[in-house]
Amino acid sequence: MTEHVLEASPVLRVAGRNSRDEVLNVATSAASLPVVAVGSTGLSALEPLVLATQNRQTAFYESCTPQRAADLADTLDNGELDIEDADAVIEHASTPTRLPIPDRSPLGVGTRTVLGRCGWLRPTCPNDYRASGGFETLTADGETVVGAARRVTGRGWGDAMADTSVGDSWKRVIDADGDPAVVVNAHGTPSDRLLLESLPFLPLEGALAAAQIVDASDVIIYLSEADNQAHERVTAAIENLPQTNAAVHAVTGPDEYRAAEPTMALEAIEGSQRLEARLRPPQPDIEGIYGRPTLVHTPRTLAQIVHATSGAAPTRIVTIRGDVQHEATVELPADGSLATAREAVTVDGTFKCACVGGQFGGLTPDLDIAPTPDALGAAGVGTEGVIDVLNEDQCLVAYIGEQSRFAQDENCGRCVPCREGTVQLTDLLREVYDGSFRPDAIEELLRVIESSSICAFGRDATRPVATGLDHFEDEFAVHAGGQCPTGTCTTELQHEVSQ
Amino acid sequence: MSSEFTRTDVPPLTEAIQPGTATDPTIGSTDTATVTVDGHEVTLEEGATVLDAVTAVDTNEDVPALCSYDREDNIGPRSECRTCMVETDDHGLVPSCSFPAEDGLNVKTDATAATEARDVNLDLVLSNHNLRCTTCGKNGRCELQDAAIATDVEEPRYGVLDDRDAYEPIDDSSSFIQIDRNKCILCNRCVEACNDVQVEGVLHMEGSGQDTRIGFQNGAETMADSTCVSCGHCVTVCPTGSLVEKGIEDAATLPIPGFTQKNSIGQSFESTDENKEPMTPMKQDDRSETNGPTSTNTAGESESESELEDWP
Ligand code: SF4
Ligand code: SF4
Ligand code: SF4
Ligand code: FES
């Protein structure tokens, strides 16, 4: 094959996360043309997705079986593109650098700027990435990169600059004493995992660009030990990076929700066996990893900076899951609406509401919210980039109780408002089943946990309960009267200890 | 956990010490600062916290600052109890014990949100405390008791820990120090006294969530099996009746017949009274000869109860 996949024609691409390999093997043995493994598009409903490209045309075959892939490869080997059977066919330039986008769901939903090359390039091939316009940030003018960092807000709770301008943090690192470091916190969120699996060079490029600006000598990619594929891909990509002044390392931490908190990430990287949050201020950008001034950004943040450097408007990546047939990761323009993400999935049953913002997201019956920190904040929901859909069978009192108990079980144990507050919160919610619903006591506790916990774990843990009371207080009242409208909470369940 | 990114310059003496706690950044102001607290101006040296300003003036409201310890530089701030919250114009509510005294900061102790946060957090500490002061050796010289009295706690809103099944056994195995974790507020002072002051590396913080507790770095279940040298520093710094010197553990107990600290808990790890040396057998490196401590109750049942229970 040619030096990079973009020039190859004809070529058969197989995109996907799981169950891709069999399709790949069968198609490879069926034909002599290049059959290449590309990363996931983030849309599990389509995968394995086979893309046949020839003569400025790409045909899409969704959920492709190995047999069908073999037939397609064989047909293409004979110089023909099977257009009849394709789910979509797109005409394009001779060497498109991005996945061509058909005008149909789910690929056509939202925009695809940061995700544009997912499913089109071989994830760990540096030539593919370079040919697609990659690594340009590394030679861009420093002022341009810093300007981009100022326009981009940190993405996800694992980012030390969540929802605030990244440029401020870069400035503090530059001004601080000590040898700076950059931590790429990829722990725990589906979209960050997708970027590392499908397009690892993109966040790495952003991290190296940041390292150049702040003059960091180490870049540390931190991820969950459960994310094997992401770990393999990023490790392979690290070996193929362009030469820079920073050494790049990959480090894994425990597969626990709290391990994504920025300072617990630092603790895990330093090898602490027990993870708890560090005090702030000063923030990690003044005293971070081993006391060094440290940037902590998620892959999403760094990817946004790369694109902003080349002039693209910031977007937001969201993963929609829960009571849907297939989880989907899509990208929305800043002036768009979260409701658009719903078009990428089929809801199981009837949509009741959504928990927006991940584990400790906010409940909302209405998804028509712009995907910006301001708009999401005003709606009381979280910015973590995950939408959990809840259908009409979900009892919100039970759902909220489970979130509260998760907080009680999974906190690090350091501070009283979170460690003891979540126990009392869970108890107050449980009391509802005994007929005692005390919204004032619950709200007082929520205020204190939110305002006095050390880290974002405790602060965010209040959100499901607070928004649940805002939108669904009547469901609590009905439960206190001994009834569960969805029939989820039966009276027997109340006192029974199930296994 | 894998780590191919490690540091090589750790001093050998402290390398082996694993306190189980986070490595906090340097706390305190970077310059001298003048701060206003409830209308009073205070000027403070570099390295000062907002609490230094709060304690320097006569504040409108009492600020318990329960977990803070100002008598030794190596200890704290742990900043975990959050009974020191105050309101600032620039940053909203802040924990005064660990927030730097910034020049020009305007602090109010009597803002509604600050008072609420201190009161609720103090009640949250009490909710997990075996509040039986009358059988406690620290009765009358306990910082938690002082805080509760100063804050006029009459009826803690979340009650107190009085579920006998949830109590941890008292560790009475050492001849010198008794541990009652049911009185521990997890202030971490003892861990820091043991590691950062004495450099003994005996105590550490372990577990997470509700299972967070002080334990022993050598993995021992009891003080007698730890590597303690009985220097007593941990006892000196403990604010509550959680760590007390043997012999006076009942000193402040009110004389109510049949009502003692131990039987308020119901179970304990007893001392075999065979080791009268300050160093534990483990420290003497004499592991095989002495008898281990005995337990008056089966150990380990305090953990993992109610874990399988489903919501609700
Ligand atoms: S808020 Fe929760 S997770 Fe964060 S430090 Fe406090 S106890 Fe730990
Ligand atoms: S008495 Fe033992 S546990 Fe306490 S500080 Fe001294 S060595 Fe450490
Ligand atoms: S035993 Fe005492 S000093 Fe140690 S953490 Fe508990 S309350 Fe603090
Ligand atoms: S005294 Fe500040 S948190 Fe305990």
Side-chain angles (χ1 to χ4, degrees), chain B residues 17-77:
Chain B
I17 294 185
Q18 295 263 1
T21 49
T23 310
D24 286 325
T26 325
I27 300 297
S29 59
T30 49
D31 222 330
T32 56
T34 301
V35 172
T36 311
V37 182
D38 294 342
H40 311 277
E41 268 196 7
V42 202
T43 302
L44 301 138
E45 297 291 297
E46 177 189 328
T49 63
V50 171
L51 184 59
D52 293 329
V54 167
T55 46
V57 306
D58 195 12
T59 53
N60 292 351
E61 285 290 333
D62 185 69
V63 178
L66 181 61
C67 74
S68 75
Y69 189 68
D70 59 4
R71 276 153 281 174
E72 218 151 353
D73 279 349
N74 285 350
I75 297 180

Side-chain angles (χ1 to χ4, degrees), chain A residues 96-380:
Chain A
T97 58
R98 303 278 184 275
L99 172 69
I101 300 302
D103 187 18
R104 58 187 260 131
S105 170
L107 263 175
V109 171
T111 178
R112 290 183 82 84
T113 306
V114 170
L115 298 178
R117 288 171 282 182
C118 293
W120 196 240
L121 309 184
R122 288 169 294 180
T124 59
C125 173
N127 293 338
D128 286 6
Y129 186 69
R130 190 179 299 281
S132 72
F135 301 125
E136 279 171 8
T137 320
L138 301 182
T139 49
D141 169 59
E143 274 307 302
T144 313
V145 181
V146 169
R150 278 201 210 99
R151 290 198 301 281
V152 169
T153 54
R155 309 300 162 113
W157 87 294
D159 198 295
M161 295 303 284
D163 306 330
T164 35
S165 164
V166 167
D168 296 346
S169 188
W170 293 22
K171 183 163 185 332
R172 282 195 291 271
V173 169
I174 292 168
D175 293 343
D177 293 331
D179 174 18
V182 176
V183 167
V184 181
N185 185 2
H187 196 298
T189 295
S191 46
D192 285 328
R193 185 171 55 224
L194 173 68
L195 286 175
L196 286 200
E197 287 179 352
S198 228
L199 197 61
F201 288 115
L202 178 60
L204 283 169
E205 176 182 352
L208 289 178
Q212 282 181 1
I213 301 286
V214 303
D215 198 18
S217 55
D218 290 291
V219 171
I220 302 132
I221 321 295
Y222 168 70
L223 65 174
S224 163
E225 63 191 358
D227 289 342
N228 294 326
Q229 196 174 84
H231 192 212
E232 277 167 34
R233 298 259 167 91
V234 82
T235 308
I238 287 170
E239 285 171 14
N240 289 312
L241 281 175
Q243 203 62 42
T244 64
N245 290 331
V248 186
H249 321 261
V251 178
T252 60
D255 181 25
E256 311 261 3
Y257 175 73
R258 69 174 172 279
E261 196 278 329
T263 65
M264 294 199 226
L266 299 180
E267 287 288 318
I269 295 167
E270 289 185 12
S272 302
Q273 294 306 305
R274 177 174 175 273
L275 294 191
E276 59 171 36
R278 292 180 180 177
L279 297 178
R280 277 146 284 184
Q283 303 292 334
D285 47 30
I286 292 174
E287 243 183 276
I289 194 87
Y290 292 122
R292 298 161 59 180
T294 307
L295 291 178
V296 184
H297 294 311
T298 59
R300 281 171 287 167
T301 305
L302 295 162
Q304 291 288 349
I305 290 169
V306 170
H307 283 281
T309 301
S310 60
T315 59
R316 189 161 289 260
I317 301 177
V318 298
T319 300
I320 181 161
R321 63 184 190 191
D323 292 330
V324 299
Q325 275 167 24
H326 298 276
E327 172 177 316
T329 296
V330 298
E331 189 174 348
L332 304 171
D335 58 0
S337 162
L338 292 187
T340 306
R342 256 183 78 179
E343 295 164 16
V345 293
T346 310
V347 175
D348 278 329
T350 311
F351 178 90
K352 178 178 188 175
C353 66
C355 179
V356 176
Q359 179 68 47
F360 296 136
L363 291 164
T364 173
D366 179 9
L367 279 178
D368 194 12
I369 308 166
T372 61
D374 288 349
L376 293 163

